[in-house]
């Protein structure tokens, strides 16, 4: 069974890494406009411009004018919200606090990544580990996942009686493969939890597991349809992805260390 991704801080912070810079260093400072006596900082406009450029927009006079008008409209709406007392609403205040936290977190992560870059040697080492994990063979597999061992044993009995694997797969509790006759496609054992991967490597072509394979997901009956030599992707193809993963792991470790040292009551 494929490994499930965990909702961890690494993923959340990984998304933060890719966001545009918090504030632009270029451009003028001072006041962009004054709306009903309230000044809009040019620094805010610079930050807005940086976000637009990060999304592919060109720095043009038209864009700057559009940003100016947008910030004026926003300030007008903020003023109206305050007149209605919405800034005193606890739910609104809580949302504002969350947004404020996100900004500081983003700024911190970007600064940390800038000061602690992932080296070429680290990425190359990660690539070598990936190749080792993938192995030299990939497999074309089908599987049936059930809750109880007795159900898996019954499936094996029916297979021995001549039942088609694809038909029996309709009872699988894996929705991703159930409607495809249990088909998992071509993949390496690195994509699976260890008991599943170990069972695959012990199978011959065209054979299925005659003993249920237990994992945290339930009990599996696995069919090996074919195998072939595995050609790993070229380093340049996965270099950026590996670098981002290492950055995420780096940030996750930092957060774990901070959490371990923190005094929480």
């Amino acid at each position: 069974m494929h490994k499930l991704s965990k909702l961890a801080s690494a993923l959340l912070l990984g998304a933060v890494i890719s966001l545009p810079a918090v504030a632009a260093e270029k451009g003028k400072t001072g006041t962009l406009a004054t709306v009903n006596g309230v000044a809009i900082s040019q620094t805010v406009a610079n930050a807005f411009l940086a976000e637009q450029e990060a999304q592919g927009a060109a720095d043009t006079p038209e864009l700057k004018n559009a940003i100016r008008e947008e910030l004026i409209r926003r300030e007008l709406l903020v003023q109206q919200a305050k007149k209605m007392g919405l800034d005193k609403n606890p739910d609104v205040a809580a949302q504002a606090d969350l947004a404020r936290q996100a900004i500081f977190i983003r700024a911190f992560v970007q600064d940390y990544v800038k000061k602690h870059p992932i080296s070429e040697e680290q990425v190359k080492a990660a690539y070598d580990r990936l190749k080792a994990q993938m192995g030299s063979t990939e497999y074309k597999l089908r599987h049936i996942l059930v809750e109880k061992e007795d159900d898996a044993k019954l499936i094996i009995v029916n297979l021995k009686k001549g039942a088609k694997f694809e038909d029996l797969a309709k009872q699988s509790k894996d929705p991703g493969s159930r409607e495809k006759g249990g088909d998992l496609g071509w993949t390496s054992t690195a994509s699976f939890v260890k008991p599943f991967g170990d069972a695959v490597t012990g199978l011959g072509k065209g054979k299925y597991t005659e003993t249920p394979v237990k994992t945290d997901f339930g009990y599996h009956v696995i069919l090996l349809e074919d195998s072939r030599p595995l050609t790993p992707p070229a380093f340049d193809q996965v270099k950026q992805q590996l670098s981002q993963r290492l950055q995420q792991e780096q940030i996750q470790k930092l957060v774990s260390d901070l959490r371990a040292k923190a005094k929480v009551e």
Side-chain angles (χ1 to χ4, degrees):
M1 187 65 179
H2 285 285
K3 297 174 182 175
L4 296 181
S5 297
K6 294 182 180 179
L7 184 58
S9 58
L11 297 179
L12 298 175
L13 293 171
V16 171
I17 290 172
S18 65
L19 293 173
V22 174
E25 296 181 356
K26 66 178 182 178
K28 299 180 295 182
T29 59
T31 300
L32 174 71
T34 302
V35 182
N36 296 327
V38 179
I40 300 175
S41 169
Q42 180 65 49
T43 304
V44 174
N46 292 342
F48 202 140
L49 176 61
E51 291 186 355
Q52 297 303 306
E53 288 182 319
Q55 297 173 26
D59 181 358
T60 64
E62 290 77 17
L63 177 60
K64 289 179 178 178
N65 286 334
I67 289 173
R68 183 177 187 275
E69 288 303 311
E70 175 63 17
L71 291 176
I72 289 172
R73 287 193 293 267
R74 290 188 180 196
E75 177 57 36
L76 288 169
L77 291 173
V78 169
Q79 291 179 17
Q80 288 300 116
K82 289 181 177 179
K83 285 181 181 179
M84 295 171 63
L86 294 178
D87 56 324
K88 303 297 191 298
N89 183 302
D91 291 337
V92 175
Q95 293 177 44
D97 284 341
L98 289 174
R100 182 171 176 271
Q101 284 182 352
I103 292 169
F104 282 113
I105 291 169
R106 181 173 64 178
F108 170 76
V109 170
Q110 289 172 340
D111 182 74
Y112 185 86
V113 169
K114 183 179 179 180
K115 293 177 179 177
H116 302 82
I118 301 299
S119 68
E120 182 86 5
E121 290 74 17
Q122 288 174 292
V123 179
K124 187 62 170 62
Y127 176 70
D128 291 339
R129 289 194 299 270
L130 177 63
K131 287 198 300 181
Q133 290 170 3
M134 292 176 66
S136 58
T137 306
E138 62 180 345
Y139 305 88
K140 190 174 190 305
L141 304 170
R142 293 182 187 270
H143 87 132
I144 302 170
L145 173 64
V146 291
E147 191 73 35
K148 300 177 181 179
E149 184 177 12
D150 287 344
D151 292 337
K153 289 180 177 179
L154 181 58
I155 289 170
I156 294 169
V157 169
N158 288 330
L159 285 171
K160 290 181 178 179
K161 290 180 179 180
K164 291 185 177 180
F165 198 97
E166 293 88 332
D167 294 336
L168 295 175
K170 293 177 181 178
Q171 62 188 286
S172 177
K173 69 172 191 171
D174 175 15
S177 66
R178 180 175 57 218
E179 303 306 320
K180 298 183 293 184
D183 187 18
L184 294 173
W186 286 96
T187 187
S188 71
T189 54
S191 301
F192 303 101
V193 291
K194 192 175 187 303
F196 193 106
D198 290 346
V200 169
T201 56
L203 284 174
K205 182 178 176 180
K207 303 296 184 179
Y208 55 84
T209 51
E210 297 190 11
T211 301
V213 178
K214 186 179 185 303
T215 71
D216 291 340
F217 305 102
Y219 291 87
H220 308 256
V221 180
I222 308 166
L223 170 65
L224 171 59
E225 292 190 319
D226 203 355
S227 63
R228 65 189 182 190
L230 173 63
T231 302
F235 176 66
D236 288 341
Q237 286 182 290
V238 295
K239 178 180 177 180
Q240 183 176 0
Q241 181 181 354
L242 288 174
S243 179
Q244 290 174 347
R245 181 192 300 177
L246 291 173
Q247 284 182 338
Q248 291 174 1
E249 291 173 354
Q250 187 181 53
I251 295 298
Q252 184 180 26
K253 183 180 184 305
L254 171 65
V255 174
S256 296
D257 290 345
L258 290 172
R259 183 66 179 85
K261 297 175 183 176
K263 183 179 179 181
V264 181
E265 300 176 351

